[in-house]
Amino acid sequence: MHKIWLDTDPGFDDWLAMLMLSANLDVTWLGVSVVAGNAPLATTYDNALRIKKHYHLDVPVYPGCDAPLAGAVETAQCILGDSGMNTTGEALPSVDIAAAEAAQAAQEQRSPLPHAVDALIEAVRAHAGEITLMCIAPLTNIATALQRAPEIAPLIKEIILMGGSADQGNHTAAAEFNIFADPEAADIVFRAGIALRMFGLNLCRQLLVTAAEVQQVRALGTLRAKWLAGYFEAYLRIRSADGSVPMPMYDPAVAIWLKRPELFSFAPAHVDIELQGRLTRGMTVCEFRVPRRAVANAEVAMTVDGPRAMECMMQELLGTLS
């Protein structure tokens, strides 16, 4: 049984990861911290609350950091649209944020709701040695928690994150988006001495979805399936205008590993975050020659059985949409 705290910036693929967590009977889902990333915090938090309400996710959601530790805010809106997740169909209905926060505060018997970083620190202390942080966004919330309460580092069981790459980048030639958006935060996290599994672009490019998966969702015919299918189709069209070219799955990779770890292989590495390079800022520099050249600080995901992993993802998702 995994006790999971999710750190996220929804984002369509974050949405899929959230649905997979909700379907995984081996997961106790303790909370969600939201951060600026795919879009500004106001947008990612709104997206998280919409997903929670309309897909009946029984988990507390907290707004977190709205800017990186250093430098300007970097979003993926140029690719994902202003909302951080486009749709070819009907938009996921809005929520009354004030009412949602009031309901959660009443359930927790405190008001106002705490900042996500404070909620995360509180959860780690309450479940010492048991919490796995599932990070699928820029690492600002996590690094801020470690700066604010450094004593929690040895209380965290493991960090499993979608970020970085053992080869080429995506947001730049060298850097993956989640790391590039706040490399100073990533540097703090990778140097914290916490057990860490990195699911980078080199792994996620082995997880490919096609129009067939979109049709599987649409064929269910339910309202929740209809909403998801429109966003799924828009996500597939990022790579090709007609959706004919397979698209990698990013954030769900971590959720798939939680369900089917035997499908993945890892290699120990020492991962450094490049902070200064004019062309390489945000790069995850992976030294695999351990222990001869360096001490490993991460297990880097290297291979996955892509077809079986996609089958697992779709099985879990379809079960949440009926």
Side-chain angles (χ1 to χ4, degrees), residues 17-29:
M18 292 168 75
L19 294 184
M20 287 196 68
L21 281 183
S22 72
N24 191 335
L25 298 180
D26 294 326
V27 163
T28 299
W29 192 4

Side-chain angles (χ1 to χ4, degrees), residues 45-99:
Y45 182 51
D46 180 54
N47 287 343
L49 292 179
R50 291 182 190 220
I51 294 164
K52 174 182 174 176
K53 177 177 180 178
H54 299 300
Y55 289 79
H56 310 303
L57 306 183
D58 185 19
V59 62
V61 177
Y62 305 92
C65 297
D66 62 1
L69 298 185
V73 173
E74 188 79 20
T75 75
Q77 290 168 292
C78 61
I79 301 295
L80 304 177
D82 290 344
S83 69
M85 48 184 200
N86 285 329
T87 182
T88 61
E90 182 182 342
L92 199 58
S94 62
V95 297
D96 184 330
I97 292 178

Side-chain angles (χ1 to χ4, degrees), residues 84-272:
M85 48 184 200
N86 285 329
T87 182
T88 61
E90 182 182 342
L92 199 58
S94 62
V95 297
D96 184 330
I97 292 178
E101 291 182 333
Q104 185 174 313
Q107 186 175 15
E108 296 180 15
Q109 297 184 326
R110 58 180 173 181
S111 183
L113 285 182
H115 188 279
V117 170
D118 295 320
L120 169 58
I121 292 170
E122 181 180 288
V124 171
R125 287 172 174 162
H127 301 273
E130 298 179 318
I131 284 187
T132 294
L133 303 185
M134 178 174 163
C135 305
I136 57 175
L139 292 164
T140 316
N141 284 338
I142 311 305
T144 302
L146 292 171
Q147 288 180 319
R148 191 173 297 176
E151 73 279 1
I152 69 170
L155 306 181
I156 297 169
K157 180 180 180 182
E158 186 176 27
I159 292 174
I160 51 177
L161 69 90
M162 190 280 124
S165 178
D167 48 41
Q168 64 194 43
N170 62 354
H171 200 65
T172 71
E176 180 273 331
F177 173 76
N178 284 344
I179 305 299
F180 183 86
D182 196 343
E184 281 75 18
D187 182 57
I188 289 170
V189 171
F190 274 84
R191 290 191 294 105
I194 302 167
L196 189 151
R197 291 183 186 270
M198 182 179 107
F199 297 78
L201 298 177
N202 58 293
L203 184 284
C204 298
R205 291 180 178 122
Q206 300 171 45
L207 298 167
L208 297 175
V209 294
T210 69
E213 283 74 36
V214 177
Q215 185 53 38
Q216 279 185 269
V217 172
R218 183 171 282 119
L220 286 178
T222 66
L223 183 57
R224 285 187 287 173
K226 177 183 175 183
W227 285 327
L228 191 71
Y231 286 92
F232 209 157
E233 184 173 58
Y235 177 79
L236 193 61
R237 291 183 181 183
I238 291 173
R239 180 163 279 191
S240 59
D242 62 356
S244 62
V245 178
M247 182 71 183
M249 279 279 96
Y250 299 108
D251 297 335
V254 191
I256 295 169
W257 176 78
L258 283 170
K259 185 70 176 180
R260 297 290 303 277
E262 73 278 6
L263 300 180
F264 295 76
S265 73
F266 294 82
H270 183 89
V271 181
D272 279 311

